[in-house]
Amino acid sequence: MPRTLVKDALAATAPRDSILLQGWVRTRRDAKAFSFVELNDGSSLKGMQVIVDATLPDYAAVARAHTGASVEVQGKLVASQGAGQQWEVVAGKFTVIGEADATYPLQKKGHTMEFLRGIAHLRPRSNLFGAVFRVRSRLAYAVHQFFQERGFVYVHTPIITASDCEGAGELFRVTTLDPAKPPRTEQGGVDYTQDFFAKQAYLTVSGQLEGETFACALSNIYTFGPTFRAENSHTSRHASEFWMIEPEMAFCDLSGDMALAEEFVKHLIRDARTHCAADLEFFAKFVDKDLLTRLDFVLERPFQRCSYTDAIGILTQSGRTWEHPVAWGDNLQSEHERFLAEEHFKCPVTLFDYPRTLKPFYMRVNDDGRTVRAMDLLVPGIGEIIGGSQREERLEVLRENLAQHHLSEQDYWWYLDLRRYGTVPHAGFGLGFERMLMFVTGVPNIRDVIPFARTPGSADF
Ligand code: 4AD
Ligand code: MG
C-alpha cells in the first residue's frame, strides 16, 4: 500500500477503508482500552490522531512509541468523534520503526530559540521550524514561478569568483595553499599564482556582475543561489551565508527596476498567504500577532518612493535624537531605516539616488555627479530587504568609477567589454531571501529561517 501524507489524509473528502501513514510521534495518551497517538510527518502543521485499540495484536508496540519515535500505521480513516479534528485513523497495524527514549530533546513545548538552535538537526521536527521550512520551500518555488512566468531566464552564476562585486572587502578566501608554509613572492607576500586557481579566489558576495553579462545577451535573467559575506556583523539580520535572488534586465532603468521589486515582493507575500495559510496563522498566533494584518496591508498599498536626499531631510527634521546622528553623505543605520518604514511612511519604502561615495563602482552616475541610481527597499520590522540599481552603461564613466574605487581595469576587462560592444541601459536588484522569510513569517532572527545558520563564530552542523 502506498504511503499517504498526513496533509493529504487531513484533506480527505470521504472516509477510507485502508490507509498507510508514516511519521514521528508527537504525543501519546494512554486510556484504559486504547491509546491516542499524534503522528506528524512534516507535511503539515497539524498531525493525525491515531487510535490504537488495546485489543490489537500489535498493542504492545504502543508502549514503545514515545515522543520522537518513528512509526508506521495501517488502518482506517474515519470521521473523528472528538473535537479539534475532522479525521482520525483507527489503527489495524501499528509498528515502531525507530524508538526514541526520554533523552529526546523535543519532549514538550516551550523551548527557547537559543536551545533549539543548539539542536538544529532536530528542530525541523518542531511545529515552529516545520512551518518555517515549509514556507521557505514554497517561497523558493514562488521565486522561480514569478520570473519564469515573466520570461526571465534562470542563470547559475559561479560560487567561486575572483571579483569583489560589492567592493566591501567582505570576502571568504578560497585556497588550497598550506597556511603554515605558503609559497612566497620575491617581496615576501603570498604567491597566489601558485594557488589552485593561479590567482586569488573567493566565495561570491553577489552574482550580479556575471548576471549582467547574461542580461546583455538574454535580456531578462535572474539568479537564485547562495552568497557569502565575511562581515563581522553580530545582528539578527546578518548571516555569513545567505541566499539571494538577483534579477537583471536589459533595456531597463531604475524606475522599471523599482516596479519589478515591488511586484516581486507582493507576489511572494500573496503566494505565502494563499499556499501557506495554516503555517502563517501559526506564526500569527505564536510569533507575531500583527503578522497577517501587516502582510495584507503591504499587499494592498503601493510602496512609497523617496530620494535619499529627501529621506535625510525627514530624519533631520523628525525631532528625534539618534544614536547615530545623520547628515547628507552618511550611510543610513538600522534606526533610520526603521524610522522611515515604521513611523514615517508606515509601509515599505524605496529610497533612491544615494550619494555616489556610499555605493559600489557599477552604479549609474546621475547628472548631478554626486548621486547614483541606487535603490534600497526598506520594510517595517526589518529595514533593507532589497538593494539594487541601474548600472553604469557608459564605458568612460565606468572607467572613471573603477579608478575612483581603486579597482583595476585589467581585472574587469570582461565587464568593460559589455560597454564596448552593444551597451544598453540595464538594471537589477538583489533580494535577501532570508530577510524576506523573516518578513513573511514574523520570525525575528535570521538564524531561525535558515536550516543551518552560518554567523561569525558559528558553523555547527
Ligand atoms: O545590498 P546588497 O549588498 O546588494 C548586492 O549585493 C547587489 N549586488 C544586488 C544587485 O543589485 N544585484 O545585498 C542585497 C540584499 C540586501 O538588501 C539584503 O536583503 C541581503 O541581500 N543581504 C543579506 N542578508 C543576510 N545576511 C547578510 N549578511 C546580507 N547582506 C545582504
Ligand atoms: Mg545593500
Side-chain angles (χ1 to χ4, degrees), residues 100-233:
D101 66 13
T103 62
Y104 178 64
L106 290 170
Q107 292 292 345
K108 269 282 143 203
K109 302 181 178 70
H111 294 300
T112 65
M113 296 299 260
E114 288 74 15
F115 172 80
L116 291 166
R117 275 173 218 146
I119 51 164
H121 59 306
L122 295 173
R123 68 178 185 170
R125 297 193 202 177
S126 68
N127 279 338
L128 178 75
F129 288 97
V132 165
F133 295 118
R134 278 188 299 272
V135 173
R136 187 175 171 114
S137 165
R138 176 69 215 187
L139 286 193
Y141 177 71
V143 165
H144 288 295
Q145 195 182 38
F146 177 84
F147 288 112
Q148 296 284 335
E149 279 172 359
R150 283 162 183 76
F152 283 62
V153 176
Y154 180 32
V155 179
H156 293 118
T157 49
I159 288 171
I160 299 173
T161 170
S163 45
D164 178 5
C165 173
E166 296 305 295
E170 293 160 344
L171 299 158
F172 287 105
R173 186 183 295 286
V174 177
T175 176
T176 53
L177 294 179
D178 179 352
K181 45 174 178 25
R184 297 283 174 188
T185 60
E186 274 170 27
Q187 292 76 29
V190 175
D191 182 4
Y192 287 104
T193 62
Q194 295 188 49
D195 201 350
F196 192 87
F197 296 107
K199 57 158 77 163
Q200 303 198 51
Y202 311 94
L203 295 179
T204 188
V205 296
S206 160
Q208 178 196 320
L209 302 185
E210 292 91 348
E212 282 183 55
T213 70
F214 271 69
C216 292
L218 304 177
S219 288
N220 290 341
I221 66 97
Y222 68 106
T223 74
F224 183 12
T227 48
F228 307 86
R229 301 211 180 168
E231 154 183 44
N232 204 7
S233 298

Side-chain angles (χ1 to χ4, degrees), residues 177-300:
L177 294 179
D178 179 352
K181 45 174 178 25
R184 297 283 174 188
T185 60
E186 274 170 27
Q187 292 76 29
V190 175
D191 182 4
Y192 287 104
T193 62
Q194 295 188 49
D195 201 350
F196 192 87
F197 296 107
K199 57 158 77 163
Q200 303 198 51
Y202 311 94
L203 295 179
T204 188
V205 296
S206 160
Q208 178 196 320
L209 302 185
E210 292 91 348
E212 282 183 55
T213 70
F214 271 69
C216 292
L218 304 177
S219 288
N220 290 341
I221 66 97
Y222 68 106
T223 74
F224 183 12
T227 48
F228 307 86
R229 301 211 180 168
E231 154 183 44
N232 204 7
S233 298
H234 298 254
T235 79
S236 57
R237 303 173 303 123
H238 288 89
S240 315
E241 174 178 328
F242 62 98
W243 282 58
M244 194 164 25
I245 298 119
E246 296 185 276
E248 191 71 34
M249 294 170 286
F251 306 98
C252 181
D253 63 8
L254 189 69
S255 86
D257 201 31
M258 294 197 277
L260 185 80
E262 174 169 348
E263 206 188 324
F264 181 41
V265 165
K266 287 183 170 170
H267 173 84
L268 295 182
I269 296 173
R270 205 174 294 118
D271 188 88
R273 284 295 269 134
T274 310
H275 296 283
C276 307
D279 290 329
L280 292 201
E281 272 159 33
F282 177 84
F283 298 129
K285 202 162 160 197
F286 294 104
V287 179
D288 178 353
K289 65 176 176 22
D290 300 323
L291 180 71
L292 300 180
T293 38
R294 189 169 63 246
L295 294 179
D296 291 340
F297 176 86
V298 167
L299 280 181
E300 281 156 20

